[in-house]
């Protein structure tokens, strides 16, 4: 594994570790990251109707979950 790929794994291990002496298996670290990604997407989807897009984007946007908002124009004329 390249150093570029090892660095984020090592950072994630520190987050997942129960204490400074804990060395969680890489599979546990990857599982936690995947679950976090899924929960983040669900949380973002859940608040889309409650908060304006710029608030959600400022708080939750990462390089992993990109937020895109579309606008539409509806004519009231027939």
């Amino acid at each position: 594994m390249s150093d570029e790929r090892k660095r984020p794994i090592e950072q994630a291990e520190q987050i997942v570790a129960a204490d400074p002496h804990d060395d969680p298996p890489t599979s546990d670290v990857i599982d936690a990251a995947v679950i976090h990604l899924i929960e983040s997407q669900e949380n973002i989807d859940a608040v889309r109707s409650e908060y304006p897009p710029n608030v959600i984007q400022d708080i939750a946007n990462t390089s992993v979950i990109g937020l895109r908002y579309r606008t539409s124009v509806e004519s009231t004329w027939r």
Side-chain angles (χ1 to χ4, degrees):
M1 186 181 309
S2 69
D3 286 345
E4 186 177 317
R5 292 187 73 195
K6 279 184 185 177
R7 255 180 259 119
I9 297 283
E10 290 168 355
Q11 288 176 317
E13 286 173 352
Q14 293 172 3
I15 294 168
V16 172
D19 61 52
H21 305 291
D22 189 18
D23 185 19
T26 302
S27 61
D28 287 355
V29 174
I30 292 170
D31 289 347
V34 169
I35 290 167
H36 177 70
L37 178 61
I38 292 166
E39 288 176 350
S40 295
Q41 182 66 49
E42 290 171 351
N43 292 337
I44 289 169
D45 289 343
V47 299
R48 283 184 191 263
S49 63
E50 296 178 38
Y51 297 97
N54 62 317
V55 171
I56 296 172
Q57 196 161 25
D58 287 347
I59 294 171
N61 202 24
T62 71
S63 61
V64 178
I65 299 176
L67 302 176
R68 283 172 253 125
Y69 292 92
R70 297 177 190 94
T71 58
S72 62
V73 176
E74 295 179 23
S75 175
T76 57
W77 301 98
R78 290 185 175 206

